[in-house]
PDB file of all heavy atoms in Angstrom:
ATOM      1  N   LYS A 208      -2.121   4.697 -20.737  1.00 94.00           N
ATOM      2  CA  LYS A 208      -2.650   5.999 -21.182  1.00 94.00           C
ATOM      3  C   LYS A 208      -3.318   5.916 -22.557  1.00 94.00           C
ATOM      4  O   LYS A 208      -2.942   6.639 -23.478  1.00 94.00           O
ATOM      5  CB  LYS A 208      -1.560   7.069 -21.157  1.00 94.00           C
ATOM      6  CG  LYS A 208      -0.272   6.715 -21.868  1.00 94.00           C
ATOM      7  CD  LYS A 208       0.649   7.927 -21.861  1.00 94.00           C
ATOM      8  CE  LYS A 208       1.316   8.080 -23.181  1.00 94.00           C
ATOM      9  NZ  LYS A 208       2.198   9.210 -23.298  1.00 94.00           N
ATOM     10  N   ARG A 214      -0.245  11.098 -19.459  1.00 97.00           N
ATOM     11  CA  ARG A 214       0.045   9.991 -18.541  1.00 97.00           C
ATOM     12  C   ARG A 214      -0.475  10.287 -17.141  1.00 97.00           C
ATOM     13  O   ARG A 214      -0.502  11.448 -16.717  1.00 97.00           O
ATOM     14  CB  ARG A 214       1.535   9.710 -18.502  1.00 97.00           C
ATOM     15  CG  ARG A 214       2.370  10.742 -17.746  1.00 97.00           C
ATOM     16  CD  ARG A 214       3.841  10.478 -18.007  1.00 97.00           C
ATOM     17  NE  ARG A 214       4.742  11.185 -17.108  1.00 97.00           N
ATOM     18  CZ  ARG A 214       4.988  12.492 -17.146  1.00 97.00           C
ATOM     19  NH1 ARG A 214       4.355  13.259 -18.014  1.00 97.00           N
ATOM     20  NH2 ARG A 214       5.838  13.039 -16.307  1.00 97.00           N
TER      21      ARG A 214
ATOM     22  N   LYS B  20      14.497  11.685 -30.478  1.00 93.00           N
ATOM     23  CA  LYS B  20      14.103  11.255 -29.132  1.00 93.00           C
ATOM     24  C   LYS B  20      12.684  10.667 -29.170  1.00 93.00           C
ATOM     25  O   LYS B  20      11.802  11.251 -29.792  1.00 93.00           O
ATOM     26  CB  LYS B  20      14.127  12.458 -28.190  1.00 93.00           C
ATOM     27  CG  LYS B  20      13.737  12.146 -26.763  1.00 93.00           C
ATOM     28  CD  LYS B  20      13.960  13.343 -25.846  1.00 93.00           C
ATOM     29  CE  LYS B  20      12.915  14.419 -26.005  1.00 93.00           C
ATOM     30  NZ  LYS B  20      11.623  14.107 -25.396  1.00 93.00           N
ATOM     31  N   THR B  21      12.519   9.535 -28.510  1.00 96.00           N
ATOM     32  CA  THR B  21      11.182   8.949 -28.472  1.00 96.00           C
ATOM     33  C   THR B  21      10.221   9.879 -27.723  1.00 96.00           C
ATOM     34  O   THR B  21      10.605  10.524 -26.735  1.00 96.00           O
ATOM     35  CB  THR B  21      11.189   7.563 -27.797  1.00 96.00           C
ATOM     36  OG1 THR B  21       9.851   7.186 -27.503  1.00 96.00           O
ATOM     37  CG2 THR B  21      11.977   7.548 -26.505  1.00 96.00           C
ATOM     38  N   SER B  22       8.989   9.915 -28.193  1.00 95.00           N
ATOM     39  CA  SER B  22       7.995  10.763 -27.508  1.00 95.00           C
ATOM     40  C   SER B  22       7.651  10.192 -26.138  1.00 95.00           C
ATOM     41  O   SER B  22       6.966  10.833 -25.345  1.00 95.00           O
ATOM     42  CB  SER B  22       6.731  10.873 -28.356  1.00 95.00           C
ATOM     43  OG  SER B  22       6.122   9.602 -28.475  1.00 95.00           O
ATOM     44  N   LEU B  23       8.138   8.982 -25.850  1.00 97.00           N
ATOM     45  CA  LEU B  23       7.876   8.399 -24.527  1.00 97.00           C
ATOM     46  C   LEU B  23       8.892   8.860 -23.482  1.00 97.00           C
ATOM     47  O   LEU B  23       8.838   8.419 -22.339  1.00 97.00           O
ATOM     48  CB  LEU B  23       7.826   6.869 -24.602  1.00 97.00           C
ATOM     49  CG  LEU B  23       6.676   6.308 -25.437  1.00 97.00           C
ATOM     50  CD1 LEU B  23       6.471   4.829 -25.142  1.00 97.00           C
ATOM     51  CD2 LEU B  23       5.378   7.062 -25.180  1.00 97.00           C
ATOM     52  N   MET B  24       9.837   9.697 -23.900  1.00 98.00           N
ATOM     53  CA  MET B  24      10.631  10.445 -22.916  1.00 98.00           C
ATOM     54  C   MET B  24      10.074  11.862 -22.914  1.00 98.00           C
ATOM     55  O   MET B  24       9.912  12.468 -23.973  1.00 98.00           O
ATOM     56  CB  MET B  24      12.121  10.460 -23.284  1.00 98.00           C
ATOM     57  CG  MET B  24      12.861   9.161 -22.986  1.00 98.00           C
ATOM     58  SD  MET B  24      12.964   8.740 -21.225  1.00 98.00           S
ATOM     59  CE  MET B  24      14.221   9.872 -20.660  1.00 98.00           C
ATOM     60  N   THR B  25       9.750  12.384 -21.739  1.00 97.00           N
ATOM     61  CA  THR B  25       9.204  13.741 -21.663  1.00 97.00           C
ATOM     62  C   THR B  25      10.319  14.751 -21.938  1.00 97.00           C
ATOM     63  O   THR B  25      11.491  14.392 -22.015  1.00 97.00           O
ATOM     64  CB  THR B  25       8.617  14.021 -20.265  1.00 97.00           C
ATOM     65  OG1 THR B  25       9.692  14.009 -19.320  1.00 97.00           O
ATOM     66  CG2 THR B  25       7.583  12.989 -19.868  1.00 97.00           C
ATOM     67  N   ASP B  26       9.946  16.019 -22.029  1.00 96.00           N
ATOM     68  CA  ASP B  26      10.939  17.063 -22.245  1.00 96.00           C
ATOM     69  C   ASP B  26      11.501  17.594 -20.919  1.00 96.00           C
ATOM     70  O   ASP B  26      12.298  18.532 -20.910  1.00 96.00           O
ATOM     71  CB  ASP B  26      10.332  18.217 -23.051  1.00 96.00           C
ATOM     72  CG  ASP B  26      10.080  17.799 -24.498  1.00 96.00           C
ATOM     73  OD1 ASP B  26      10.818  16.920 -24.994  1.00 96.00           O
ATOM     74  OD2 ASP B  26       9.138  18.332 -25.114  1.00 96.00           O
ATOM     75  N   HIS B  41      16.697   4.797 -19.032  1.00 98.00           N
ATOM     76  CA  HIS B  41      15.313   5.285 -19.214  1.00 98.00           C
ATOM     77  C   HIS B  41      14.949   5.289 -20.705  1.00 98.00           C
ATOM     78  O   HIS B  41      13.908   4.784 -21.116  1.00 98.00           O
ATOM     79  CB  HIS B  41      15.178   6.735 -18.729  1.00 98.00           C
ATOM     80  CG  HIS B  41      15.046   6.901 -17.249  1.00 98.00           C
ATOM     81  ND1 HIS B  41      15.546   6.016 -16.339  1.00 98.00           N
ATOM     82  CD2 HIS B  41      14.454   7.897 -16.525  1.00 98.00           C
ATOM     83  CE1 HIS B  41      15.273   6.460 -15.123  1.00 98.00           C
ATOM     84  NE2 HIS B  41      14.618   7.590 -15.197  1.00 98.00           N
ATOM     85  N   ARG B  42      15.861   5.910 -21.486  1.00 98.00           N
ATOM     86  CA  ARG B  42      15.571   6.090 -22.903  1.00 98.00           C
ATOM     87  C   ARG B  42      15.404   4.750 -23.615  1.00 98.00           C
ATOM     88  O   ARG B  42      14.460   4.564 -24.384  1.00 98.00           O
ATOM     89  CB  ARG B  42      16.700   6.901 -23.567  1.00 98.00           C
ATOM     90  CG  ARG B  42      16.578   7.014 -25.079  1.00 98.00           C
ATOM     91  CD  ARG B  42      17.603   7.946 -25.676  1.00 98.00           C
ATOM     92  NE  ARG B  42      18.978   7.507 -25.521  1.00 98.00           N
ATOM     93  CZ  ARG B  42      19.566   6.568 -26.301  1.00 98.00           C
ATOM     94  NH1 ARG B  42      18.880   5.960 -27.238  1.00 98.00           N
ATOM     95  NH2 ARG B  42      20.831   6.258 -26.111  1.00 98.00           N
ATOM     96  N   ILE B  44      14.462   1.854 -22.414  1.00 98.00           N
ATOM     97  CA  ILE B  44      13.193   1.207 -22.044  1.00 98.00           C
ATOM     98  C   ILE B  44      12.034   1.873 -22.777  1.00 98.00           C
ATOM     99  O   ILE B  44      11.167   1.203 -23.359  1.00 98.00           O
ATOM    100  CB  ILE B  44      12.968   1.265 -20.507  1.00 98.00           C
ATOM    101  CG1 ILE B  44      14.067   0.469 -19.794  1.00 98.00           C
ATOM    102  CG2 ILE B  44      11.592   0.731 -20.140  1.00 98.00           C
ATOM    103  CD1 ILE B  44      14.172   0.757 -18.308  1.00 98.00           C
ATOM    104  N   MET B  45      12.048   3.201 -22.789  1.00 98.00           N
ATOM    105  CA  MET B  45      10.957   3.926 -23.437  1.00 98.00           C
ATOM    106  C   MET B  45      10.973   3.714 -24.955  1.00 98.00           C
ATOM    107  O   MET B  45       9.913   3.621 -25.594  1.00 98.00           O
ATOM    108  CB  MET B  45      11.024   5.415 -23.084  1.00 98.00           C
ATOM    109  CG  MET B  45      10.625   5.735 -21.655  1.00 98.00           C
ATOM    110  SD  MET B  45       8.921   5.233 -21.233  1.00 98.00           S
ATOM    111  CE  MET B  45       9.203   3.753 -20.310  1.00 98.00           C
ATOM    112  N   GLU B  46      12.162   3.621 -25.541  1.00 98.00           N
ATOM    113  CA  GLU B  46      12.241   3.346 -26.986  1.00 98.00           C
ATOM    114  C   GLU B  46      11.637   1.983 -27.309  1.00 98.00           C
ATOM    115  O   GLU B  46      10.888   1.831 -28.279  1.00 98.00           O
ATOM    116  CB  GLU B  46      13.713   3.377 -27.454  1.00 98.00           C
ATOM    117  CG  GLU B  46      14.255   4.787 -27.663  1.00 98.00           C
ATOM    118  CD  GLU B  46      15.710   4.807 -28.103  1.00 98.00           C
ATOM    119  OE1 GLU B  46      16.323   3.721 -28.256  1.00 98.00           O
ATOM    120  OE2 GLU B  46      16.252   5.901 -28.286  1.00 98.00           O
ATOM    121  N   VAL B  47      11.956   0.996 -26.477  1.00 98.00           N
ATOM    122  CA  VAL B  47      11.429  -0.361 -26.716  1.00 98.00           C
ATOM    123  C   VAL B  47       9.899  -0.368 -26.595  1.00 98.00           C
ATOM    124  O   VAL B  47       9.200  -0.925 -27.438  1.00 98.00           O
ATOM    125  CB  VAL B  47      12.080  -1.371 -25.745  1.00 98.00           C
ATOM    126  CG1 VAL B  47      11.328  -2.699 -25.759  1.00 98.00           C
ATOM    127  CG2 VAL B  47      13.550  -1.585 -26.108  1.00 98.00           C
ATOM    128  N   ILE B  48       9.383   0.302 -25.539  1.00 98.00           N
ATOM    129  CA  ILE B  48       7.922   0.368 -25.344  1.00 98.00           C
ATOM    130  C   ILE B  48       7.278   1.039 -26.565  1.00 98.00           C
ATOM    131  O   ILE B  48       6.244   0.585 -27.085  1.00 98.00           O
ATOM    132  CB  ILE B  48       7.578   1.162 -24.057  1.00 98.00           C
ATOM    133  CG1 ILE B  48       8.174   0.498 -22.801  1.00 98.00           C
ATOM    134  CG2 ILE B  48       6.067   1.363 -23.908  1.00 98.00           C
ATOM    135  CD1 ILE B  48       7.569  -0.810 -22.398  1.00 98.00           C
ATOM    136  N   ASP B  49       7.921   2.110 -27.027  1.00 98.00           N
ATOM    137  CA  ASP B  49       7.438   2.870 -28.190  1.00 98.00           C
ATOM    138  C   ASP B  49       7.459   1.989 -29.446  1.00 98.00           C
ATOM    139  O   ASP B  49       6.440   1.844 -30.144  1.00 98.00           O
ATOM    140  CB  ASP B  49       8.340   4.100 -28.372  1.00 98.00           C
ATOM    141  CG  ASP B  49       7.761   5.102 -29.358  1.00 98.00           C
ATOM    142  OD1 ASP B  49       6.630   4.878 -29.836  1.00 98.00           O
ATOM    143  OD2 ASP B  49       8.440   6.101 -29.652  1.00 98.00           O
ATOM    144  N   GLU B  50       8.604   1.370 -29.704  1.00 97.00           N
ATOM    145  CA  GLU B  50       8.761   0.562 -30.928  1.00 97.00           C
ATOM    146  C   GLU B  50       7.816  -0.635 -30.938  1.00 97.00           C
ATOM    147  O   GLU B  50       7.376  -1.071 -32.001  1.00 97.00           O
ATOM    148  CB  GLU B  50      10.215   0.090 -31.049  1.00 97.00           C
ATOM    149  CG  GLU B  50      11.181   1.219 -31.417  1.00 97.00           C
ATOM    150  CD  GLU B  50      12.644   0.887 -31.098  1.00 97.00           C
ATOM    151  OE1 GLU B  50      12.951  -0.303 -30.901  1.00 97.00           O
ATOM    152  OE2 GLU B  50      13.453   1.826 -31.044  1.00 97.00           O
ATOM    153  N   GLY B  52       4.902  -0.563 -29.689  1.00 97.00           N
ATOM    154  CA  GLY B  52       3.526  -0.057 -29.726  1.00 97.00           C
ATOM    155  C   GLY B  52       2.749  -0.292 -28.436  1.00 97.00           C
ATOM    156  O   GLY B  52       1.536  -0.475 -28.438  1.00 97.00           O
ATOM    157  N   LEU B  53       3.462  -0.263 -27.303  1.00 98.00           N
ATOM    158  CA  LEU B  53       2.823  -0.596 -26.020  1.00 98.00           C
ATOM    159  C   LEU B  53       2.533   0.640 -25.155  1.00 98.00           C
ATOM    160  O   LEU B  53       2.189   0.512 -23.986  1.00 98.00           O
ATOM    161  CB  LEU B  53       3.715  -1.572 -25.239  1.00 98.00           C
ATOM    162  CG  LEU B  53       3.930  -2.947 -25.893  1.00 98.00           C
ATOM    163  CD1 LEU B  53       5.038  -3.713 -25.185  1.00 98.00           C
ATOM    164  CD2 LEU B  53       2.643  -3.753 -25.891  1.00 98.00           C
ATOM    165  N   GLU B  54       2.681   1.821 -25.746  1.00 97.00           N
ATOM    166  CA  GLU B  54       2.529   3.075 -24.994  1.00 97.00           C
ATOM    167  C   GLU B  54       1.247   3.123 -24.149  1.00 97.00           C
ATOM    168  O   GLU B  54       1.274   3.475 -22.972  1.00 97.00           O
ATOM    169  CB  GLU B  54       2.538   4.252 -25.978  1.00 97.00           C
ATOM    170  CG  GLU B  54       2.233   5.587 -25.337  1.00 97.00           C
ATOM    171  CD  GLU B  54       2.218   6.723 -26.354  1.00 97.00           C
ATOM    172  OE1 GLU B  54       2.429   6.453 -27.549  1.00 97.00           O
ATOM    173  OE2 GLU B  54       1.992   7.872 -25.941  1.00 97.00           O
ATOM    174  N   SER B  55       0.144   2.737 -24.760  1.00 96.00           N
ATOM    175  CA  SER B  55      -1.139   2.894 -24.063  1.00 96.00           C
ATOM    176  C   SER B  55      -1.444   1.715 -23.142  1.00 96.00           C
ATOM    177  O   SER B  55      -2.469   1.705 -22.466  1.00 96.00           O
ATOM    178  CB  SER B  55      -2.263   3.046 -25.088  1.00 96.00           C
ATOM    179  OG  SER B  55      -2.346   1.882 -25.877  1.00 96.00           O
ATOM    180  N   THR B  57       1.074   0.305 -21.012  1.00 98.00           N
ATOM    181  CA  THR B  57       2.203   0.098 -20.098  1.00 98.00           C
ATOM    182  C   THR B  57       2.013   0.864 -18.795  1.00 98.00           C
ATOM    183  O   THR B  57       1.567   2.006 -18.793  1.00 98.00           O
ATOM    184  CB  THR B  57       3.514   0.550 -20.780  1.00 98.00           C
ATOM    185  OG1 THR B  57       3.723  -0.270 -21.925  1.00 98.00           O
ATOM    186  CG2 THR B  57       4.709   0.408 -19.840  1.00 98.00           C
ATOM    187  N   ALA B  69      11.616   8.960 -11.810  1.00 97.00           N
ATOM    188  CA  ALA B  69      11.534   8.371 -13.162  1.00 97.00           C
ATOM    189  C   ALA B  69      10.212   8.742 -13.836  1.00 97.00           C
ATOM    190  O   ALA B  69      10.150   8.900 -15.055  1.00 97.00           O
ATOM    191  CB  ALA B  69      11.700   6.859 -13.085  1.00 97.00           C
ATOM    192  N   PHE B  72      10.067  11.552 -16.233  1.00 98.00           N
ATOM    193  CA  PHE B  72      10.777  11.436 -17.516  1.00 98.00           C
ATOM    194  C   PHE B  72      10.171  10.392 -18.445  1.00 98.00           C
ATOM    195  O   PHE B  72      10.272  10.504 -19.655  1.00 98.00           O
ATOM    196  CB  PHE B  72      12.253  11.115 -17.255  1.00 98.00           C
ATOM    197  CG  PHE B  72      12.843  11.954 -16.154  1.00 98.00           C
ATOM    198  CD1 PHE B  72      13.410  11.379 -15.029  1.00 98.00           C
ATOM    199  CD2 PHE B  72      12.784  13.348 -16.225  1.00 98.00           C
ATOM    200  CE1 PHE B  72      13.919  12.162 -14.011  1.00 98.00           C
ATOM    201  CE2 PHE B  72      13.292  14.132 -15.210  1.00 98.00           C
ATOM    202  CZ  PHE B  72      13.862  13.538 -14.086  1.00 98.00           C
ATOM    203  N   MET B  73       9.583   9.352 -17.859  1.00 98.00           N
ATOM    204  CA  MET B  73       8.995   8.285 -18.658  1.00 98.00           C
ATOM    205  C   MET B  73       7.545   8.655 -18.945  1.00 98.00           C
ATOM    206  O   MET B  73       6.748   8.797 -18.018  1.00 98.00           O
ATOM    207  CB  MET B  73       9.074   6.958 -17.902  1.00 98.00           C
ATOM    208  CG  MET B  73      10.511   6.494 -17.667  1.00 98.00           C
ATOM    209  SD  MET B  73      10.535   4.950 -16.748  1.00 98.00           S
ATOM    210  CE  MET B  73      12.257   4.491 -16.894  1.00 98.00           C
ATOM    211  N   ASN B  74       7.237   8.788 -20.217  1.00 98.00           N
ATOM    212  CA  ASN B  74       5.925   9.312 -20.605  1.00 98.00           C
ATOM    213  C   ASN B  74       4.897   8.183 -20.782  1.00 98.00           C
ATOM    214  O   ASN B  74       4.281   8.035 -21.823  1.00 98.00           O
ATOM    215  CB  ASN B  74       6.075  10.129 -21.890  1.00 98.00           C
ATOM    216  CG  ASN B  74       4.854  10.974 -22.179  1.00 98.00           C
ATOM    217  OD1 ASN B  74       3.949  11.077 -21.346  1.00 98.00           O
ATOM    218  ND2 ASN B  74       4.814  11.562 -23.357  1.00 98.00           N
ATOM    219  N   VAL B  75       4.767   7.373 -19.735  1.00 98.00           N
ATOM    220  CA  VAL B  75       3.712   6.349 -19.680  1.00 98.00           C
ATOM    221  C   VAL B  75       3.067   6.445 -18.297  1.00 98.00           C
ATOM    222  O   VAL B  75       3.561   7.189 -17.444  1.00 98.00           O
ATOM    223  CB  VAL B  75       4.273   4.918 -19.888  1.00 98.00           C
ATOM    224  CG1 VAL B  75       4.772   4.725 -21.312  1.00 98.00           C
ATOM    225  CG2 VAL B  75       5.361   4.583 -18.876  1.00 98.00           C
TER     226      VAL B  75
END
Side-chain angles (χ1 to χ4, degrees):
Chain A
K208 51 175 222 179
R214 74 190 194 287
Chain B
K20 180 172 76 75
T21 166
S22 64
L23 295 196
M24 283 295 284
T25 66
D26 289 331
H41 280 27
R42 173 173 64 80
I44 297 164
M45 288 300 102
E46 280 179 0
V47 167
I48 299 291
D49 192 4
E50 288 161 17
L53 296 169
E54 173 181 1
S55 62
T57 297
F72 316 122
M73 296 179 170
N74 194 8
V75 292

